[in-house]
Amino acid sequence: MGSYQHAQDNWFAAFMIGFIALAVLINIWRARAGRELYIRRIPGLDAIDEAIGRSTELGRPVTMIPGLTAFGVEAVQALTIFKYITKQIARFATPMRLLTANATVYAVAQEAIADAYNEAGRPDLYDPDSVRFLSSEQFAFASGVAGLLQRERVAANFMFGIFFAESLIFAETGNIVGAVQIAGTVSITQVPFFVAACDYTIIGDEFYATSAYISREPVLLGSMVGQDLAKIAFGSLILGGAVLSTVLGADHPIIQLLGKPGGWEPFMEWIRLKLGGG
Amino acid sequence: MDWIQEFLPLSVERINVWIGALCTFAIYSILYRENPFYRFFEHMYIGLAAGYALGPYLVDVIYRYWWEPIRADGIWWLAFVVPFGMYLYFIYNEKYGWVSRLVIGSLIGAYAGLTFQAFSSRYLPQLQGALSKVLWYPPNATGEIYLSTLINNWIFVIILLSVLTYFTFSFEHRGAVKRTALVGRWFLMIGLGTIFGNTVMARMALLIGRVYYLLDSWLMIRVGGG
Amino acid sequence: MEQRTLWSRMMSIDRRILYLILAVNIVASLMARVAIEPDVPPAVRNFYETIEALQPGDMVMVSSTWSAGTLAENQPQFEAVLRHLMRKRLRFTIISFSPPARDISHRLARRLTSEAGYVEGKDWAHFGYSPDIILAIKGMSEDIAQAIRQDVRRAPIQQLEVMQGIKSLKDYKLVVDITPSDTLTAWISYRPANLNIIYCPTSVMAAEAYTFLDSKQILGMITGAKGAYEYEQLLGIVGLGTRFINAIQFSHVLIITFILLGNFAMFMQRRTQA
Amino acid sequence: MFDTTQATWAAFWIIGAFVLFFALIPLLQTLPPRGRYMLIAVFTFISGLFFAAEFFLPVNEEGKNILTDPFQRLQGSLQVITALSLGLGTYGLIRLHLRNAVQRRPQWGYSLVLLIAFVTMAFFSVWNTLAEKELLGVQRTPLLERAFTLLFDYTLIQLDATMFSLIAFYIFSAAYRAFRIRSIEASILMFTAMVVMIGIVPLGKFISDSMGLPTTLTDEMRTNPFMLENILYNLRLPQIANWILNALNAPVQRAIEFGIGIGALAMAIRLWLSLERGIN
């Protein structure tokens, strides 16, 4: 199947992009104007809460790892989740460690964790040494994390962000020390290993939904709701299109219009014929 | 004895191969435990990789796309491109760091603008491919349609829709929707399982390539192939 | 003190012993001379047929972005693809989107082409390193001479004999993307409308590409070194893929055995504890 | 060969441009924070608008609109800026290790190793690319050949390949010690993985052949789906593995793709309009 050089190849593309852009922008605007947008509580959050509960029972520390995530959208969202976890454990004075591989993420994390203790009303519990920059080299970072997980026999291990092959080493070590492990990542290639070695895994878009749910940030919420509308549109098109294809045949101009590059011309031709003939 | 003669690092070529083997063993020594030998070669690796990139950056990019056009074609306005790009390097400076965001902003803007073509070319043909799957023998079919094709089309549409349902967040999942989403997560696991299997194969192949080097180039043992 | 049963000891086996088992398995299966014929999957067959369908003199773009990190997966593919292109007497140009890939592909291509009597500049050319794949593809789609300017040896594009009758990517018949990273989606997104793509990913990226095979956005795929082996069988040559395949499949057997063993040991340990 | 007047003019332009752009910085510095933010947002928006408009504006018979040719001319300079942004990583790395070495921080010896490797390789790499193009009168010498082969083919490539192959050991160890069939979903994942891992290698064919399953698909089998041979044929491991990959895996990947695509479009719009918080 071909590709698009310009929107003119099939104006349906411009229509779809316009629809999604409007759905996102209108919802962001609604959220900013103070409308309460709804996002469901995903099961991953229950898993997080359960893991927090277990670690407070054991009294051993909790680790949070943003992996090699560079500073960007995912890092900000991972820190939102870490901040939430820190606020929960602050109430029980459970110690925590946040281990980073990126200098910028490290600086922002320090601030976020200090904030979390303040917001939980326990600024006295904040220990600047609990947020650490280990190394920016992949395997040096991984072995640093593995060493710490083993030495401190952590009770729960949270991994959120973007991960590469080093994820295996974290998950394996966490498993050996018997920690409850929750992972959340948009790196699809690492998800299988997390599913195999962790207690619960938050997959792909769920990661963004989790941080939007926690932070209630209008831009994230609005965007999430807008994206949902787009997914519903895609789903309906697939369902409707499959039925139409079955009835009209898969080569019908209407079916070609719905996304095929160059599908606009045959469709207009067909319309002209219909109008001229009818 | 001939093998020993050839094996030993007595020629330039063999010294090179031995150095290659040394590098391999140095990195593998971390499997035993963290050690200075490994650290030494790790840092050498990072330094070499960074230094190597300079040649292609300077000659394939800066010379080819900047200096040549200014000098040979007299496109004078290109002279402004590198100074503007150099604003990036203020990023570590606290006072002037913000000017780097002008360049980063332009790059981000460019990629955002390019996304519209990517969205159309990459995703819409996939959408069209999914919605043109026929679910029953069509009335005006060209060519024969097998029952197996129809079954696979049904499976395709059902899996696609249930996984999409799993990834919706703006409404409560209840009843049938909840069950569909749950099944969606299970289907997702099939896709992840295939990624798992393929990833294992890839990782093993990389190790096999290394062992092959040691056997074939270093120890000079003819390997595999039936 | 925890009671040390057989199962708990099995569970806490030193990982260095595991590493050794894997290494021994690979050395042994590399040395083994077992040859099992493959069952060539449709994706590989289509890959082969797509190149077979081209006419001598047709132009092919080889996008080669792999470097040493994935050498074992991509080198067998690269070698087999170049051999196939030269056997069909096709013209080709190579471009790389990572710095080390530039030198690796150029050095390897020089060796392979000289064996087949291909002349650089006349039968093939290397466009060097380009830092941004999207801009390069979009640029080449309109005018290669303007977008690339000169090949790695500083020969202006217009003066290369291999480029005769070729103005832009629209005049190419095929793209072969040999890659360990996300270059395929850039080719899919920004290529000229009717330029076909065939794909040589590392196995890690292969599973995700089946959706593109289904939608015909790529016409064929060879999966890592294993795919290279199947492709070599179709070509009737012995390459690196053929040398690696035994070690690949026996490492799979080993991994599966140990996943099951680990789970069994854990299950038994829990039972004895309870 | 080398036209000196042309080169002098080029150098003149370049020096002028550098002076101009660096003189501009104190001027930019007078902007208040809000003004700086606005300026960044404007830069982001305008560069995005250019590419968006190139895509959306109607085209003539040649498939071009008014922005297609300007894009062609800008292409090279955008490549230069991309390369400079890639070079930023190198700059940060060298800056960090230079500081480690100069201030004698702990483990500064390793930083020194890194710097020496960097300088040596950079020297030969630049020399190599210059010699390739016979630029500035640089020639290919035996020393260059020998040093570059040693540093590139027998050191960098070997280290790079070995680094990546370490993961195989980690996967194997994790497979034994951490991959647990602890839930329905982990069971589905593991089972699929195992079937695929055996089915896609020749061993899968070997096992199926030795079980006596039919080896080829005849036309009769194709048209008659309920024939016993056809059912048996489809139970071959390679067939099952391929069916999993093509029929079950493809729609899953497509659903993931749709999620990514819609998400990427939404994020592009947020970044383009500078709506993303915490980043800018």
Side-chain angles (χ1 to χ4, degrees), chain D:
Chain D
M1 275 300 287
F2 203 71
D3 189 337
T4 42
T5 43
Q6 272 186 339
T8 320
W9 270 109
F12 169 77
W13 278 114
I14 288 164
I15 292 166
F18 266 98
V19 171
L20 182 74
F21 268 75
F22 283 76
L24 215 58
I25 291 176
L27 204 69
L28 286 170
Q29 208 63 22
T30 59
L31 281 171
R34 173 118 194 107
R36 292 174 187 182
Y37 173 78
M38 289 299 288
L39 191 65
I40 295 166
V42 166
F43 267 63
T44 312
F45 181 74
I46 289 181
S47 75
L49 187 64
F50 177 80
F51 292 98
E54 203 273 327
F55 179 67
F56 284 115
L57 286 179
V59 292
N60 59 20
E61 297 88 56
E62 282 178 71
K64 290 181 176 182
N65 56 38
I66 50 166
L67 291 171
T68 309
D69 284 329
F71 170 82
Q72 280 297 311
R73 282 195 291 280
L74 273 176
Q75 191 256 140
S77 42
L78 290 166
Q79 297 261 17
V80 172
I81 294 182
T82 313
L84 287 172
S85 74
L86 292 173
L88 196 61
T90 313
Y91 171 69
L93 182 79
I94 298 309
R95 193 172 165 274
L96 174 77
H97 286 279
L98 210 55
R99 198 176 273 185
N100 279 353
V102 171
Q103 299 180 356
R104 303 281 162 97
R105 291 188 185 170
Q107 311 254 322
W108 64 276
Y110 294 119
S111 295
L112 200 64
V113 172
L114 187 148
L115 292 170
I116 293 170
F118 172 78
V119 172
T120 318
M121 188 74 212
F123 175 75
F124 284 106
S125 172
V126 173
W127 185 0
N128 178 57
T129 34
L130 289 177
E132 209 168 52
K133 290 183 178 348
E134 294 172 357
L135 280 174
L136 309 172
V138 173
Q139 294 296 320
R140 205 162 264 288
T141 67
L143 171 68
L144 169 66
E145 282 295 332
R146 207 172 270 186
F148 191 72
T149 306
L150 173 65
L151 288 173
F152 185 72
D153 292 310
Y154 288 97
T155 311
L156 180 57
I157 285 188
Q158 309 300 330
L159 288 170
D160 199 7
T162 313
M163 268 293 176
F164 278 81
S165 73
L166 279 177
I167 302 162
F169 291 105
Y170 299 140
I171 269 196
F172 181 59
S173 155
Y176 178 65
R177 309 207 303 170
F179 295 165
R180 294 285 171 259
I181 301 170
R182 69 186 81 225
S183 57
I184 299 176
E185 45 192 68
S187 322
I188 299 173
L189 187 146
M190 289 296 189
F191 181 73
T192 315
M194 289 177 191
V195 173
V196 169
M197 280 165 71
I198 290 299
I200 58 176
V201 292
L203 207 58
K205 179 186 156 71
F206 179 76
I207 293 170
S208 303
D209 286 354
S210 26
M211 281 165 71
L213 295 176
T215 51
T216 45
L217 189 66
T218 61
D219 280 342
E220 195 195 351
M221 282 155 75
R222 208 167 280 156
T223 43
N224 185 358
F226 299 110
M227 218 170 121
L228 182 65
E229 273 91 350
N230 189 38
I231 294 168
L232 288 177
Y233 175 80
N234 284 310
L235 286 176
R236 290 167 54 83
L237 276 168
Q239 266 58 42
I240 293 178
N242 268 314
W243 183 72
I244 290 178
L245 285 166
N246 288 299
L248 303 185
N249 168 54
V252 172
Q253 301 298 346
R254 188 159 302 175
I256 295 174
E257 273 277 298
F258 286 160
I260 294 173
I262 292 166
L265 187 62
M267 184 165 340
I269 290 165
R270 291 186 332 246
L271 290 171
W272 182 27
L273 304 177
S274 297
L275 291 171
E276 193 72 50
R277 243 201 51 173
I279 304 298
N280 270 320

Side-chain angles (χ1 to χ4, degrees), chain C:
Chain C
M1 192 66 203
E2 199 183 325
Q3 204 188 348
R4 300 280 291 172
T5 61
L6 167 70
W7 305 116
S8 75
R9 250 180 289 147
M10 240 181 92
M11 293 288 292
S12 56
I13 188 170
D14 193 317
R15 62 200 157 81
R16 281 166 288 201
I17 296 173
L18 294 172
Y19 296 158
L20 198 67
I21 294 173
L22 178 63
V24 169
N25 174 281
I26 285 177
V27 172
S29 51
L30 264 176
M31 310 270 279
R33 295 249 197 281
V34 209
I36 313 175
E37 272 197 7
D39 197 272
V40 180
V44 175
R45 200 168 285 284
N46 292 340
F47 186 101
Y48 175 83
E49 298 295 346
T50 306
I51 294 183
E52 277 297 301
L54 297 179
Q55 298 305 314
D58 279 352
M59 193 66 159
V60 178
M61 175 65 87
V62 180
S63 164
S64 174
T65 303
W66 59 280
S67 62
T70 56
L71 191 121
E73 287 261 270
N74 293 127
Q75 188 180 345
Q77 298 169 333
F78 184 85
E79 291 190 7
V81 165
L82 251 57
R83 291 217 169 99
H84 194 185
L85 296 180
M86 293 189 290
R87 181 190 287 183
K88 288 288 296 177
R89 300 303 302 172
L90 301 165
R91 289 183 284 170
F92 63 91
T93 54
I94 305 175
I95 187 163
S96 297
F97 300 103
S98 91
R102 165 197 196 273
D103 273 284
I104 290 187
S105 58
H106 192 213
R107 289 155 95 84
L108 198 52
R110 267 203 309 221
R111 202 191 77 210
L112 292 167
T113 50
S114 66
E115 284 168 13
Y118 261 49
V119 180
E120 186 168 6
K122 181 169 161 284
D123 305 304
W124 70 287
H126 197 300
F127 287 167
Y129 159 68
S130 196
D132 191 299
I133 182 168
I134 297 174
L135 297 171
I137 296 174
K138 272 185 81 72
M140 288 192 293
S141 299
E142 295 295 334
D143 186 353
I144 291 178
Q146 197 177 20
I148 300 297
R149 301 187 61 88
Q150 44 183 244
D151 77 345
V152 281
R153 298 167 315 139
R154 205 165 57 116
I157 297 295
Q158 309 94 304
Q159 290 171 21
L160 289 172
E161 204 181 327
V162 62
M163 294 301 289
Q164 264 175 15
I166 306 286
K167 185 174 180 290
S168 71
L169 274 183
K170 291 173 186 137
D171 303 315
Y172 278 67
K173 291 285 187 285
L174 187 67
V175 175
V176 189
D177 190 19
I178 308 175
T179 182
S181 57
D182 191 21
T183 52
L184 174 73
T185 52
W187 279 109
I188 287 180
S189 303
Y190 300 101
R191 81 205 135 114
N194 295 314
L195 181 61
N196 289 325
I197 304 172
I198 50 178
Y199 184 38
C200 302
T202 52
S203 313
V204 183
M205 327 228 345
E208 290 159 70
Y210 279 88
T211 172
F212 299 122
L213 280 169
D214 181 85
S215 58
K216 305 271 187 297
Q217 285 168 298
I218 56 176
L219 298 186
M221 172 167 82
I222 53 185
T223 302
K226 189 263 319 184
Y229 164 62
E230 292 152 354
Y231 183 47
E232 282 165 10
Q233 290 282 314
L234 290 177
L235 287 170
I237 58 175
V238 174
L240 286 173
T242 311
R243 295 191 200 290
F244 291 169
I245 190 67
N246 268 331
I248 291 175
Q249 55 185 356
F250 288 114
S251 68
H252 285 188
V253 174
L254 186 76
I255 291 244
I256 291 173
T257 314
F258 272 74
I259 292 177
L260 296 176
L261 209 61
N263 276 284
F264 182 69
M266 186 193 66
F267 176 75
M268 291 307 287
Q269 189 193 15
R270 287 216 180 129
R271 238 175 62 160
T272 44
Q273 270 172 7

Side-chain angles (χ1 to χ4, degrees), chain B residues 157-208:
Chain B
V157 172
I158 289 171
I159 293 184
L160 178 51
L161 290 177
S162 56
V163 179
L164 263 183
T165 308
Y166 178 71
F167 283 122
T168 53
F169 305 103
S170 63
F171 52 93
E172 191 67 57
H173 284 181
R174 273 203 210 94
V177 177
K178 188 171 184 170
R179 282 192 293 276
T180 312
L182 180 67
V183 174
R185 186 164 164 109
W186 289 347
F187 281 133
L188 192 58
M189 292 303 148
I190 296 178
L192 295 172
T194 63
I195 294 180
F196 184 105
N198 275 300
T199 306
V200 168
M201 181 161 78
R203 302 308 186 197
M204 289 304 143
L206 299 187
L207 175 58
I208 290 160

